[in-house]
């Protein structure tokens, strides 16, 4: 057991960290002494991320060290598959500011095991290209590398998902791998039964400190009734609910489903990682349909994966995933960005090509680096026929130029007063 002024915890299993590369379960508990809130847990081995399960009930630990039972429950569980040659493992918790904080580490000896390269989930490719295209529309000069690296890391995470074990049977149908959220709510639905007891309550959660009761017991589920014809409740085993979710937290997020039985026991029946997409993020516009931009985004993902030694997949799998992503772009990307009725084309061009903050910073840094060694320019301005307002607008535009080594000379008749 480990303890300091801020927290107390114990990594209970395994006790021997000389491993053969097989899947290994890591279990234990963690309690904060200061009221600090931690919403997720993960293991990291040589850059490979293994999201785990946190918030499991441990009544004996809660009573012994806290004096009462309830949220947040302290139990955690992770499954890792250490690659051959791995030397260290660390456990991290996600704090309230969405920072991963290490709280424990140990040395490893892994004599054999899988290849050291993680594998990217190709089912996310369509969503990830969509995200990169949105970023390109938002900032045409943006460097896609940082976002691509974040998406590849998310897509290479290896979660410890759990399914119902007999005597529980059921399905978690929403959310899918990529799940939509709206106004801090996530839709949860599926069906669940226990072969021997009645389920009296279902609770869903995306955070160890928040649980939402689900509608269960009165919703018809005909196919479950046919699958378990002798079961008293299978025909009405559908569940539905809206879970609270922090839409700003890093992915992959987790959804947990707990079942309370008539004997008073409580069981975790589902734990699933998914990738939340808030409606205000998903609905951001795409750029004009372009094969060049599409493959630029695909190349950014590929380069990020290579830099992190992440396997993308076989060529045939990649081709099918890219084809699916391109079909989505064809459906959602505009063929052109039309002008509004009566809109001045030059003003529209200025709006579409306005400097992004990042590009402006690059240009300012380049101008400063050139200094007195940079070229100088002379602008010849014909002021004939200009109004005073037009000349004031011209002066403001010239004063706002990023590059300083220029001069303006007026030609023609004198400028009006």
């Amino acid at each position: 057991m480990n303890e300091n002024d801020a927290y107390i915890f114990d990594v209970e299993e395994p006790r021997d960290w000389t491993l053969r590369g097989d899947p290994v379960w890591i279990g234990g508990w963690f309690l904060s002494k200061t009221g600090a809130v931690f919403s997720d847990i993960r293991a990291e081995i040589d850059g490979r991320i293994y999201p785990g399960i946190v918030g499991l009930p441990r009544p004996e630990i809660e009573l012994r060290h806290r004096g009462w039972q309830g949220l947040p429950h302290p139990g955690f569980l992770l499954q890792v598959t250490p690659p051959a040659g791995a030397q260290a493992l660390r456990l991290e918790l996600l704090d309230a500011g969405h920072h991963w904080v290490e709280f424990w580490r140990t040395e490893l000896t892994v004599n054999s095991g899988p290849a050291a390269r993680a594998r990217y989930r190709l089912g996310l490719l369509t969503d990830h290209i969509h995200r990169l295209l949105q970023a390109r529309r938002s900032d045409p000069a943006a460097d896609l590398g940082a976002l691509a690296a974040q998406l590849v890391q998310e897509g290479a995470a290896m979660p410890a998902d759990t399914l119902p074990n007999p005597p529980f049977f059921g399905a978690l149908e929403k959310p899918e791998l990529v799940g939509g959220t709206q106004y801090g709510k996530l839709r949860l639905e599926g069906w669940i039964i226990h072969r021997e007891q009645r389920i009296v309550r279902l609770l869903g959660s995306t955070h160890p400190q928040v649980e939402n009761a689900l509608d269960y017991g009165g919703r018809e589920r005909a196919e479950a009734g046919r699958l378990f014809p002798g079961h008293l409740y299978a025909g009405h085993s559908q569940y539905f609910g809206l879970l609270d979710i922090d839409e700003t937290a890093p992915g992959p997020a987790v959804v947990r489903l707990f079942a309370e039985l008539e004997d008073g026991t409580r069981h975790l029946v589902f734990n699933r990682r998914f990738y939340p997409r808030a409606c205000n993020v998903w609905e951001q516009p795409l750029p004009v349909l372009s094969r060049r931009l599409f493959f630029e985004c695909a190349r950014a993902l590929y380069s990020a994966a290579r830099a992190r030694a992440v396997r993308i997949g076989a060529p045939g799998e990649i081709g099918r995933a890219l084809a699916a992503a391109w079909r989505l772009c064809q459906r959602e990307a505009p063929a052109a960005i039309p002008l509004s009725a009566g809109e001045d084309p030059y003003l529209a061009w200025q709006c579409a090509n306005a400097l992004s903050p990042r590009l402006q910073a690059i240009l300012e840094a380049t101008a400063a680096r050139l200094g007195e060694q940079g070229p100088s320019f002379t602008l010849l301005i014909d002021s004939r026929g200009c109004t005073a307002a037009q000349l004031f607008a011209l002066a403001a535009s010239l004063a706002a130029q990023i590059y300083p080594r220029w001069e303006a000379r007026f030609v023609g008749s004198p400028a009006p007063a």
Side-chain angles (χ1 to χ4, degrees):
M1 188 169 67
N2 298 268
E3 183 174 8
N4 60 25
D5 292 338
Y7 50 76
I8 180 172
F9 72 92
D10 191 14
V11 179
E12 298 169 318
E13 58 177 338
R15 289 303 184 186
D16 183 3
W17 293 96
T18 300
L19 308 173
R20 296 178 301 176
D22 298 324
V24 176
W25 287 99
I26 303 172
W29 54 270
F30 181 99
L31 282 170
S32 171
K33 293 182 176 181
T34 62
V37 176
F38 298 99
S39 59
D40 208 348
I41 191 168
R42 70 182 189 183
E44 189 272 336
I45 304 175
D46 292 353
R48 300 175 75 171
I49 301 299
Y50 301 83
I53 307 169
V54 68
L56 299 176
R58 292 292 301 271
E60 76 288 359
I61 297 296
E62 296 167 40
L63 288 172
R64 183 188 314 154
H65 296 284
R66 197 167 58 188
W68 51 275
Q69 297 182 50
L71 301 178
H73 297 301
F76 64 77
L77 191 65
L78 308 100
Q79 187 185 64
V80 301
T81 307
Q87 297 180 347
L89 173 146
R90 71 170 185 256
L91 298 181
E92 301 174 325
L93 290 164
L94 186 66
D95 68 13
H98 299 156
H99 302 111
W100 287 102
V101 180
E102 179 182 322
F103 70 95
W104 187 78
R105 69 165 55 204
T106 186
E107 294 182 353
L108 296 176
T109 300
V110 185
N111 298 319
S112 63
R117 297 180 67 190
R119 186 177 180 88
Y120 176 80
R121 302 179 72 171
L122 274 174
L124 294 167
L125 184 67
T126 295
D127 174 67
H128 287 174
I129 288 181
H130 192 273
R131 291 279 305 279
L132 291 167
L133 286 169
Q134 288 174 321
R136 174 60 77 221
R137 169 71 183 270
S138 176
D139 183 356
D143 178 7
L144 298 179
L147 177 57
Q150 173 192 328
L151 296 174
V152 165
Q153 184 180 39
E154 289 183 3
M158 290 165 276
D161 291 346
T162 61
L163 296 173
N165 292 315
F168 285 101
F169 296 88
L172 175 59
E173 295 162 336
K174 288 188 181 299
E176 299 174 348
L177 181 60
V178 178
T181 66
Q182 190 170 23
Y183 308 118
K185 295 292 184 180
L186 170 72
R187 180 176 177 175
L188 183 71
E189 63 179 274
W191 65 274
I192 188 74
I193 64 167
H194 190 282
R195 289 298 298 267
E196 300 162 4
Q197 295 190 55
R198 182 171 65 92
I199 298 174
V200 297
R201 190 162 73 136
L202 284 178
L203 296 166
S205 173
T206 64
H207 191 285
Q209 288 194 313
V210 180
E211 292 180 343
N212 300 96
L214 304 179
D215 184 359
Y216 178 74
R219 291 176 173 264
E220 185 176 350
R221 189 63 188 246
E223 64 269 36
R226 291 192 294 269
L227 188 60
F228 298 93
H231 196 280
L232 291 176
Y233 310 109
H236 290 81
S237 58
Q238 178 80 16
Y239 61 81
F240 173 82
L242 296 176
L243 304 187
D244 295 309
I245 185 169
D246 181 357
E247 294 178 310
T248 65
V254 63
V255 60
R256 290 179 290 268
L257 185 62
F258 294 93
E260 295 183 356
L261 303 179
E262 55 189 350
D263 66 0
T265 58
R266 175 185 171 113
H267 305 265
L268 176 67
V269 289
F270 282 105
N271 184 89
R272 175 183 292 176
R273 292 282 170 172
F274 73 102
Y275 297 82
R277 295 292 178 257
C279 62
N280 63 317
V281 173
W282 183 258
E283 293 170 1
Q284 290 176 6
L286 295 174
V288 172
L289 185 66
S290 163
R291 290 185 181 274
R292 180 186 63 80
L293 283 182
F294 178 86
F295 284 107
E296 179 184 341
C297 294
R299 187 167 56 249
L301 286 173
Y302 178 77
S303 298
R306 283 195 64 183
R308 286 152 186 80
V310 173
R311 292 177 294 166
I312 291 290
E317 296 173 323
I318 297 173
R320 288 188 291 273
L322 287 172
W326 175 248
R327 287 193 295 270
L328 178 67
C329 291
Q330 288 178 309
R331 289 197 304 270
E332 298 195 3
I337 301 177
L339 297 177
S340 302
E343 186 175 1
D344 184 278
Y346 180 63
L347 292 179
W349 182 89
Q350 287 181 306
C351 181
N353 294 276
L355 287 180
S356 66
R358 179 179 178 277
L359 182 56
Q360 180 159 340
I362 291 173
L363 293 176
E364 289 172 348
T366 301
R369 188 167 59 250
L370 289 172
E372 295 298 318
Q373 303 303 314
S376 60
F377 298 90
T378 298
L379 306 177
L380 298 178
I381 301 171
D382 186 350
S383 61
R384 288 174 293 185
C386 292
T387 65
Q390 289 171 332
L391 288 174
F392 279 124
L394 170 64
S397 176
L398 291 174
Q401 295 301 304
I402 294 174
Y403 188 71
R405 291 179 54 76
W406 59 269
E407 63 176 2
R409 295 182 180 273
F410 289 84
V411 298
S413 60

